[in-house]
Amino acid sequence: MNRLDKKFSELRMISRKGFVLYLTAGDPSMPDCFRIVSRLEKAGVDILELGIPFSDPLADGPTIQKASSRSLKQHTSVQDVFNLVKKLRNEKIEIPVVIFTYYNPVLKYGPDRFVSDCADRGVDGVLILDLPPEEAGDYVVMASGKNIKTIFLITPTTPEKRVKDIVKISTGFVYCVSRTGVTGARKNLSGEAPAIVKKIRKYTDLPVAVGFGISTPEHVRKAAGYCDAVVVGSAAVKKIEDNIGKKDIDGIMARYISSLTRELKAVEK
Amino acid sequence: MNPDKKGMFGKFGGKFVPETLMNALSELEKCYKKCVKEKSFKNELTYYLSEYAGRPTPLYYAKRLSEKINHRVYLKREDLLHTGAHKINNTIGQILLARRMGKRRIIAETGAGQHGVATATVCAMFGIKCEIYMGEEDIRRQNLNVFRMKLLGANVINVTSGSRTLKDAMNEAIRDWVTNVRSTHYILGSVGGPHPYPMIVRDFQKIIGLETRRQIFKKEGRLPDYLIACVGGGSNALGLFYDFLRDKKVKLIGVEAGGLGIETGKHAARFKGGTVGVLHGSKSYVLQDKDGQISATHSVSAGLDYAGVGPEHSYFFEKGRIRYDAVSDDEAVSAFTFLCENEGIIPALESAHAVAYAIKNRRKLGRNRLIVINLSGRGDKDVQVVSDYIS
């Protein structure tokens, strides 16, 4: 069984909301990144969204742009990202992993080979940010053949008719983008997200994760009120940026992330 | 040709953008398809192109250049248009679309600054708020245009990410659009980007070729043997070539920036050193490394200094209908000074690449050929760069 399916059915059983964490692979360095991600499960993270760094991340705000350049300065390749996941699996860390990427590195790697290698190295799902459903036909077929989940985005500007089409080719979960805009920490939570989640639920029973701009414990608690999982990205990546060079960066991150995931336990009570 | 339903020219093109933009792209396509059929839109476009921008532009017989290379060379004088380059053909068209879509704010990217100036100009004319993204490196080397944009009331945003050139300005413009898509129209400046931009920009630029055909028949009574134009994103080239694609005898040549030489890796010749990839929303030839990371490019000309190229160019490259070649920085600067000294025309460094190709390959082109070179812009903006380059 795919780790994502397993995770969401467990979460449903204990009626708890999921916590998804985005980190850029190889940030601030591959060894530090490995130390950080290997402690995530214990810090309460349910799903790891691992970003492949890209030279032109046009849907990302400054925080993730900087993380991408830090990682690329060390020449992180797609292969290195797969190796990181493989290393987790070798250590018996079974956290579900979703690869978050722009299309060009996948195209260059070869979509077929990319999907096979995902399956081989223990990746559970893929989200390609700039591959809209219209262009995704072959990739969806390849991925489903290897039991790799295909996650797509639904945004505030997605018309209802498209929502219907997008959920049809989505597997694993549906990613609801809470606001128009690029990734990045925000002061306030988007007011539009609850309505979009509702729209999505009309057409699918898949779990719905909400992301973009969720940055504080309060945001996490609030967003968890209307979806199945919350995604935190830039806020955590910023925390890495602020602690580069510290020996205990994995400990600092683990404690910080626990302070966010703790909120989800509070929701059920 | 027109792209298919998904916006593909054969295997090139498409809409590889974040979901947030998909709806805006289909709205733009719908609006465009409706407008081109409307007489009132056509009339308005023609009115501004002739009364405001100064069309038609002359097709000028360049006597001394012709004597130097032993061919009959005509220059299509897009440099004489208002704002000094062909870019205004497209910005007039797109601002009319933006007004019909009810957009209150315009953004654009710019490399050499010509598209930025042309956008700022039409925004000033219609009283629409305008923000232009420009890489820090380009702001430095095209400072005159930065000041022009500011005079025209635009806000020029300094882009400091990545290589700080056109590619990064485009990233930043797309990020802005993703954020403000409901109120904002993005006036993309070339035949690149996601569908429907490559089609729309080409259609607004094909006036160059339509006029050229009429003018060359009037002057020479026949089709030209060669059409030559520089290719950055590729809008001036497609604009000139488009109406001649079906005339198989007319050879079409796109000239890319060879920079310091292809072998140095410091260039922007996508059809020499590139492979198929996806950049800024469309599938086309791209300069990239083995991991699919976009390469840094180099050209003395900011307008050609770009890692991608319009998808329709890739289509015609693979079909063999358009030939692509590159000339170096040195060759382009020599052509620049040659045209200054012998024709009394200061060309844009971009357009100087097209002139340089004709000079360099004068013997290969055959004997006494009839050649049209697109002089896509004027070079006032480049005098500082050229002065630094020569010394």
Side-chain angles (χ1 to χ4, degrees), chain B residues 116-178:
Chain B
V117 168
T119 303
T121 298
V122 296
C123 286
M125 178 175 63
F126 284 115
I128 298 179
K129 191 171 176 321
C130 174
E131 316 226 38
I132 307 288
Y133 288 91
M134 190 167 184
E136 193 174 40
E137 167 64 12
D138 292 338
I139 286 182
R140 185 189 62 75
R141 55 180 167 172
Q142 305 277 223
N143 208 262
L144 176 69
N145 274 343
V146 176
F147 187 59
R148 289 170 78 198
M149 286 184 264
K150 287 181 181 163
L151 283 174
L152 293 160
N155 180 26
V156 180
I157 300 166
N158 181 7
V159 176
T160 57
S161 55
S163 57
R164 305 172 183 211
T165 58
L166 180 56
K167 164 176 88 81
D168 312 283
M170 210 157 158
N171 287 338
E172 218 47 61
I174 293 173
R175 287 179 188 123
D176 181 316
W177 203 31
V178 169

Side-chain angles (χ1 to χ4, degrees), chain B residues 23 71 99 109 176 193:
Chain B
N23 194 47
H71 297 290
R99 278 161 57 86
E109 85 295 340
D176 181 316

Side-chain angles (χ1 to χ4, degrees), chain B residues 225-374:
Chain B
D225 298 306
Y226 288 94
L227 299 178
I228 304 174
C230 66
V231 180
S235 70
N236 90 80
L238 265 190
L240 175 66
F241 297 165
Y242 199 68
D243 197 53
F244 294 90
L245 284 165
R246 63 198 145 103
D247 303 305
K248 296 289 186 273
K249 280 190 185 150
V250 180
K251 296 190 177 72
L252 310 174
I253 296 170
V255 186
E256 299 183 281
L260 303 181
I262 305 302
E263 65 292 345
T264 65
K266 291 187 162 52
H267 62 83
R270 290 69 39 106
F271 294 118
K272 298 255 184 237
T275 48
V276 176
V278 165
L279 175 65
H280 295 144
S282 65
K283 192 186 272 186
S284 193
Y285 274 74
V286 177
L287 290 166
Q288 56 180 328
D289 71 11
K290 63 176 185 4
D291 292 319
Q293 306 295 344
I294 307 305
S295 308
T297 51
H298 166 84
S299 171
V300 68
S301 135
L304 304 183
D305 197 354
Y306 180 56
V309 64
E312 200 171 1
H313 280 286
S314 291
Y315 174 78
F316 287 118
F317 168 71
E318 290 206 344
K319 285 218 117 186
R321 179 63 188 99
I322 303 176
R323 265 187 38 218
Y324 296 85
D325 203 344
V327 300
S328 68
D329 285 355
D330 276 347
E331 290 160 343
V333 172
S334 300
F336 176 97
T337 53
F338 179 86
L339 217 59
C340 292
E341 290 164 7
N342 294 280
E343 294 289 353
I345 295 170
I346 303 178
L349 271 174
E350 290 76 17
S351 323
H353 281 71
V355 177
Y357 175 87
I359 296 175
K360 182 184 177 185
N361 297 287
R362 58 188 178 275
R363 288 193 187 88
K364 281 191 206 152
L365 296 176
R367 296 175 82 171
N368 199 25
R369 300 296 181 169
L370 183 58
I371 298 172
V372 175
I373 297 174
N374 200 9

Side-chain angles (χ1 to χ4, degrees), chain A residues 114-245:
Chain A
F114 185 86
V115 167
S116 306
D117 283 4
C118 279
D120 280 355
R121 309 300 168 86
V123 171
D124 305 286
V126 176
L127 194 168
I128 306 177
L129 210 98
D130 52 353
L131 185 70
E134 287 85 343
E135 307 289 347
D138 293 348
Y139 145 77
V140 168
V141 173
M142 283 175 219
S144 85
K146 298 275 180 191
N147 198 19
I148 296 294
K149 303 296 179 186
T150 50
I151 293 126
F152 288 91
L153 302 171
I154 288 175
T155 75
T157 56
T158 309
E160 193 147 340
K161 160 107 190 28
R162 273 183 76 79
V163 172
K164 225 165 125 180
D165 292 339
I166 293 172
V167 299
K168 268 186 212 149
I169 55 167
S170 299
T171 52
F173 63 93
V174 177
Y175 192 130
C176 164
V177 175
S178 72
R179 62 179 75 235
T180 59
V182 293
T183 60
R186 299 289 200 289
K187 270 207 186 98
N188 301 311
L189 208 55
S190 156
E192 294 185 86
I196 309 167
V197 173
K198 236 184 185 170
K199 202 156 65 174
I200 296 170
R201 292 216 198 277
K202 268 167 78 178
Y203 301 103
T204 181
D205 293 328
L206 282 172
V208 180
V210 173
F212 278 50
I214 297 178
S215 341
T216 66
E218 193 202 345
H219 292 171
V220 171
R221 195 170 58 239
K222 276 196 180 157
Y226 57 81
C227 65
D228 303 300
V230 293
V231 188
V232 172
S234 296
V237 173
K238 183 73 180 39
K239 194 80 182 170
I240 291 181
E241 184 187 322
D242 293 342
N243 290 284
I244 292 174

Side-chain angles (χ1 to χ4, degrees), chain B residues 44-238:
Chain B
E44 206 179 352
L45 181 62
T46 308
Y47 170 79
Y48 286 111
L49 285 177
S50 64
E51 302 294 314
Y52 186 72
R55 299 214 74 91
T57 58
L59 185 69
Y60 174 69
Y61 177 65
K63 186 159 175 287
R64 299 186 67 192
L65 174 60
S66 296
E67 283 165 9
K68 154 120 179 156
I69 67 172
N70 285 318
H71 297 290
R72 292 184 66 73
V73 184
Y74 284 85
L75 301 174
K76 180 60 175 163
R77 297 293 305 274
E78 293 295 293
D79 60 315
L80 292 177
L81 280 175
H82 179 40
T83 73
H86 71 291
K87 294 291 186 187
I88 192 128
N89 300 328
N90 170 47
T91 60
I92 289 176
Q94 285 203 45
I95 197 83
L96 298 179
L97 292 178
R99 278 161 57 86
R100 277 165 172 74
M101 289 187 293
K103 302 288 185 181
R104 300 181 304 276
R105 178 174 172 266
I106 294 293
I107 54 169
E109 85 295 340
T110 196
Q114 288 302 127
H115 175 58
V117 168
T119 303
T121 298
V122 296
C123 286
M125 178 175 63
F126 284 115
I128 298 179
K129 191 171 176 321
C130 174
E131 316 226 38
I132 307 288
Y133 288 91
M134 190 167 184
E136 193 174 40
E137 167 64 12
D138 292 338
I139 286 182
R140 185 189 62 75
R141 55 180 167 172
Q142 305 277 223
N143 208 262
L144 176 69
N145 274 343
V146 176
F147 187 59
R148 289 170 78 198
M149 286 184 264
K150 287 181 181 163
L151 283 174
L152 293 160
N155 180 26
V156 180
I157 300 166
N158 181 7
V159 176
T160 57
S161 55
S163 57
R164 305 172 183 211
T165 58
L166 180 56
K167 164 176 88 81
D168 312 283
M170 210 157 158
N171 287 338
E172 218 47 61
I174 293 173
R175 287 179 188 123
D176 181 316
W177 203 31
V178 169
T179 308
N180 303 300
V181 60
R182 287 167 171 140
S183 67
T184 300
H185 175 62
Y186 176 18
I187 299 192
L188 211 148
S190 195
V191 288
H195 178 69
Y197 282 107
M199 172 182 77
I200 291 178
V201 178
R202 176 203 72 200
D203 285 354
F204 286 142
Q205 292 294 358
K206 69 186 180 194
I207 182 92
I208 304 172
L210 290 167
E211 282 177 10
T212 300
R213 172 183 291 272
R214 216 171 49 231
Q215 291 165 322
I216 200 77
F217 268 101
K218 201 162 169 204
K219 289 170 199 283
E220 296 281 339
R222 69 175 183 100
L223 285 167
D225 298 306
Y226 288 94
L227 299 178
I228 304 174
C230 66
V231 180
S235 70
N236 90 80
L238 265 190

Side-chain angles (χ1 to χ4, degrees), chain A residues 27 37 46 59 91 134 149 213:
Chain A
D27 174 38
V37 297
D46 296 299
E91 305 258 324
E134 287 85 343
K149 303 296 179 186

